[in-house]
Amino acid sequence: MCGIIGILGDHQAAPIMLDALKRLEYRGYDSAGIATVRDGVLDRRRAVGKLVNLADLLVEDPLAGRAGIGHTRWATHGSPTVANAHPHRAGRVAVVHNGIIENFRELRAELGGTFESETDTETIVRLCESYLSEGLSPKDAAFATIDRLEGAYALCFLFDAQDDLLIAARAGSPLAIGHGDGEMFVGSDAIALGPLTDRMTYLEEGDRAVVTRAGARIFDAEGKQTHREMRRIRMEATRIEKAGHKHFMAKEIHEQPQTLSDVLNTYLDGDRVAPPGDYDFAATDRVQMIACGTAHIACTVAKYWFEALARLPVDVDIASEYRYREGPIGACNTALFVSQSGETADTLAALRYAKGQARAILSVVNVDTSSIARESDTAFPIHAGVEVGVASTKAFVNQLAVLLCLAIRAGVQRGHVSPARESALVGELRALPGIVSSALGIESRCEALARRLAEATDILFLGRGPMYPLAHEGALKLKEISYIHAEAYASGELKHGPIALVDRTLPVVVFAPMDPLFDKTVSNMQEVMAREGQVLLVTDAEGAAAASEGVWEVLVMPKVDPLLAPILYALPAQLLAYHTADHKGTDVDQPRNLAKSVTVE
């Protein structure tokens, strides 16, 4: 979501902050701004829309200073306007803020007066200024303000007449401090800070920090000064480039053979599955999988795998609903959380609800320094690398690969997967990156089909078994980047309502590899064609030979073990969505209203 940068540097801060904010564009935003202190004077510039608008403003009205804060905003309270853009300022203090202040209305009523914006964030600077007016120091005023806030936030304060001071704080939204040589930095993630320094300190929940060029003093939620580990990050992990592709999403689709190979090399050892940070599933009675969005779909696929391979019951919950249900968590239940960023606010809150109740807290994450990884008993990395496109591609595929490896491991531990079966599955997994690479050959075919799909106003996706959640993934990808309304159904549910939608104008995408459910899926497909629905059948050569008569189009995939099909069939779901959106001319990497890392509930 929103991006934060803070600098206490040796050089003019504005161009450095603009560059850092550019690296944070992938998170999604609708306005941007910066503030600096020069010769003791605090000033700011803000603009609506893309960062180029802020850059143009800074050419016309420059902003000097070696200390500053910057922000890209994704609107929560108030529409995208200059008045609602960050940094917000009141008198001697400016602040940038990620998250939501839940008690801002009460604080507004207490402060009184006229507010310039519709945001919750303006309440923070107004409150801090009131404490400054009472004679508190900038540090004490900021800390007193933070003590009054309820909700989720990452904050960075900048003060008039203070060109060597930033106050940073986090609660429910990530924030990192970067250490330079005589310079210090604050950022919402390592990507913002990567080119500036490779030395990072990640604030823990409730932390606040006093940052000067000499270093950072960190205080915990109780106000006690504490030590947080400084970590060195791999600079390549922060590099963002399209590598000749038109969009980041296209690049990330094409990276999947390599990233899939990377993660499988970590989880496979010879002819066995050997996850890093192994966990014994033999003692658990049930697994609860909790996630949001695409990660939730990955969990839904994994439910089929765990129940089939390990005979282990699995409940899948949407994180934003999970803790509010207040469902029972048995002491023998294992809670497994999936998040690409490792900072998803709903998922993190659900994890904290389950902690102390479940037998163990496991996570599947892409960022091993993230809050979810750090707060889990065992974190399983997916090794997908930086993913910039808002619509997840390689992270989703690697989540599936890790979850399948864990399901196989659980099956072995519980005595339901024999050594011979494990060895056979490992052989299939080792071959999968090469199969995915060859399957990229369907792209030109997907591009041609997308020209037809782009003319539709509604599209239906169908699948059975583990292809049912894949249908959801296809619909989600299409709607989020092409803005075409799409829905997914289990094929057997078609006649229980959705078939009323079918006519000659409705494209129906059917995921149907030749598996034990193939004939059932074909029967449902025939129901669509009998009502003149336009069926796009995505299957393998055997399936195409058996069931292509009468369909609108067929997209032929390589043959794989049905257990691995969801991983491979993610590719056509992605390519059809990508090329449909590209043909329509939508913003593929930064679709409207969406953000990459959702750090508000």
Side-chain angles (χ1 to χ4, degrees):
M1 300 194 71
C2 310
I4 285 175
I5 181 69
I7 290 179
L8 297 174
D10 286 338
H11 307 281
Q12 290 297 312
I16 298 172
M17 288 193 291
L18 270 179
D19 187 53
L21 294 177
K22 185 75 175 172
R23 292 192 296 276
L24 291 173
E25 282 190 299
Y26 77 99
R27 296 166 69 97
Y29 70 106
D30 44 50
S31 62
I34 63 172
T36 63
V37 175
R38 181 194 184 192
D39 298 331
V41 178
L42 175 64
D43 201 0
R44 63 178 169 163
R45 303 285 184 270
R46 299 175 294 171
V48 174
K50 296 298 185 183
L51 273 169
V52 66
N53 298 332
L54 179 61
D56 288 346
L57 176 61
L58 288 167
V59 170
E60 299 165 4
D61 192 6
L63 192 59
R66 298 170 188 265
I69 55 177
H71 192 264
T72 51
R73 175 181 185 254
W74 185 79
T76 53
H77 292 79
S79 57
T81 64
V82 172
N84 289 333
H86 296 220
H88 284 278
R89 179 182 181 180
R92 293 160 286 180
V93 58
V95 73
V96 288
H97 166 220
N98 291 354
I100 289 179
I101 305 304
E102 294 176 354
N103 63 332
F104 84 100
R105 290 182 181 84
E106 295 94 317
L107 293 173
R108 272 195 176 213
E110 175 187 321
L111 290 164
T114 302
F115 283 74
E116 297 177 355
S117 75
E118 304 166 86
T119 69
D120 53 341
T121 306
E122 189 183 354
T123 310
I124 301 171
V125 286
R126 287 281 301 274
L127 185 59
C128 189
E129 173 61 24
S130 73
Y131 285 125
L132 290 172
S133 298
E134 293 175 7
L136 272 64
S137 68
K139 168 190 172 285
D140 291 341
F143 279 28
T145 298
I146 294 162
D147 287 339
R148 299 287 308 281
L149 304 180
E150 298 173 9
Y153 53 80
L155 299 169
C156 192
F157 294 81
L158 182 70
F159 297 90
D160 199 60
Q162 301 286 335
D163 62 1
D164 190 25
L165 176 67
L166 296 173
I167 304 293
R170 73 151 291 180
S173 196
L175 204 61
I177 295 173
H179 304 261
D181 297 323
E183 298 180 299
M184 293 292 289
F185 312 96
V186 176
S188 45
D189 63 27
I191 290 174
L193 303 182
L196 303 172
T197 178
D198 65 348
R199 291 175 289 163
M200 306 281 181
T201 297
Y202 292 89
L203 296 185
E204 299 289 340
E205 188 69 8
D207 281 356
R208 54 198 70 177
V210 179
V211 184
T212 67
R213 286 179 177 83
R217 288 184 296 139
I218 300 174
F219 301 83
D220 64 18
E222 277 72 51
K224 298 176 182 176
Q225 191 163 342
T226 188
H227 172 74
R228 300 297 183 213
E229 178 187 358
M230 183 191 298
R231 306 173 185 226
R232 286 194 177 270
I233 63 166
R234 295 177 294 108
M235 297 301 286
E236 62 269 20
T238 67
R239 191 171 296 122
I240 296 179
E241 52 191 23
K242 293 180 183 175
H245 291 274
K246 185 175 181 180
H247 299 98
F248 283 109
M249 184 177 177
K251 170 179 174 277
E252 288 152 10
I253 289 171
H254 283 264
E255 286 177 338
Q256 287 176 128
Q258 183 60 56
T259 57
L260 189 55
S261 177
D262 291 343
V263 74
L264 290 174
N265 285 339
T266 303
Y267 281 77
L268 304 180
D269 182 12
D271 59 355
R272 296 289 178 264
V273 175
D278 200 6
Y279 176 73
D280 187 2
F281 287 94
T284 196
D285 291 338
R286 194 172 207 90
V287 176
Q288 292 179 306
M289 296 186 182
I290 302 100
C292 300
T294 290
H296 176 262
I297 293 171
C299 291
T300 309
V301 175
K303 174 181 173 72
Y304 288 89
W305 290 334
F306 272 81
E307 293 184 346
L309 292 169
R311 310 307 300 162
L312 186 56
V314 173
D315 299 315
V316 180
D317 269 277
I318 296 170
S320 58
E321 294 291 328
Y322 176 67
R323 65 190 177 114
Y324 298 112
R325 262 196 314 112
E326 298 184 350
I329 304 174
C332 288
N333 287 7
T334 297
L336 190 154
F337 298 84
V338 182
S339 168
Q340 183 266 326
S341 69
E343 302 291 351
T344 309
D346 289 312
T347 308
L348 184 56
L351 182 153
R352 289 169 179 163
Y353 169 77
K355 203 157 192 175
Q357 300 185 70
R359 175 176 181 262
I361 301 294
L362 311 181
S363 62
V364 173
V365 294
N366 196 30
V367 184
D368 57 8
T369 56
S370 65
S371 299
I372 289 174
R374 295 197 307 270
E375 296 186 29
S376 300
D377 298 315
T378 304
F380 296 99
I382 67 169
H383 298 299
V386 175
E387 187 178 68
V388 175
V390 165
S392 182
T393 51
K394 61 179 181 173
F396 174 66
V397 162
N398 278 29
Q399 285 169 354
L400 290 177
V402 168
L403 290 167
L404 178 54
C405 286
L406 294 180
I408 295 169
R409 182 64 179 159
V412 171
Q413 292 168 333
R414 296 169 65 82
H416 296 290
V417 172
S418 68
R421 175 66 167 145
E422 180 184 17
S423 178
L425 287 171
V426 168
E428 296 276 357
L429 282 168
R430 289 196 183 280
L432 191 56
I435 295 171
V436 172
S437 181
S438 67
L440 283 168
I442 67 171
E443 182 162 17
S444 60
R445 181 90 174 107
C446 288
E447 185 174 3
L449 293 169
R451 293 180 180 276
R452 293 279 301 277
L453 294 178
E455 299 171 358
T457 56
D458 304 277
I459 297 178
L460 195 62
F461 287 76
L462 300 177
R464 275 185 180 265
M467 288 294 110
Y468 166 46
L470 235 291
H472 274 285
E473 176 64 6
L476 177 61
K477 283 289 165 287
L478 188 76
K479 73 180 83 173
E480 66 184 340
I481 63 171
S482 76
Y483 315 147
I484 294 173
H485 172 249
E487 289 192 67
Y489 284 91
S491 299
E493 281 293 291
L494 187 68
K495 53 187 167 292
H496 296 289
I499 201 166
L501 299 171
V502 176
D503 61 22
R504 68 180 64 187
T505 69
L506 183 73
V508 181
V509 181
V510 181
F511 292 115
M514 180 60 78
D515 62 15
L517 297 174
F518 179 78
D519 290 339
K520 296 286 187 183
T521 305
V522 170
S523 294
N524 303 134
M525 194 174 75
Q526 294 291 341
E527 295 167 355
V528 172
M529 292 190 293
R531 289 154 181 84
E532 299 186 298
Q534 305 299 298
V535 170
L536 168 54
L537 174 61
V538 185
T539 186
D540 49 40
E542 188 179 357
S548 61
E549 184 178 352
V551 304
W552 164 49
E553 295 284 359
V554 180
L555 191 57
V556 178
M557 299 294 294
K559 180 73 174 177
V560 292
D561 185 304
L563 207 64
L564 278 63
I567 302 176
L568 178 63
Y569 280 61
L571 191 61
Q574 296 163 1
L575 287 170
L576 288 169
Y578 170 74
H579 285 290
T580 300
D582 187 40
H583 183 67
K584 289 191 67 182
T586 60
D587 191 339
V588 172
D589 289 329
Q590 297 172 40
R592 67 189 184 200
N593 304 331
L594 296 180
K596 183 62 178 173
S597 177
V598 183
T599 54
V600 296
E601 293 189 68

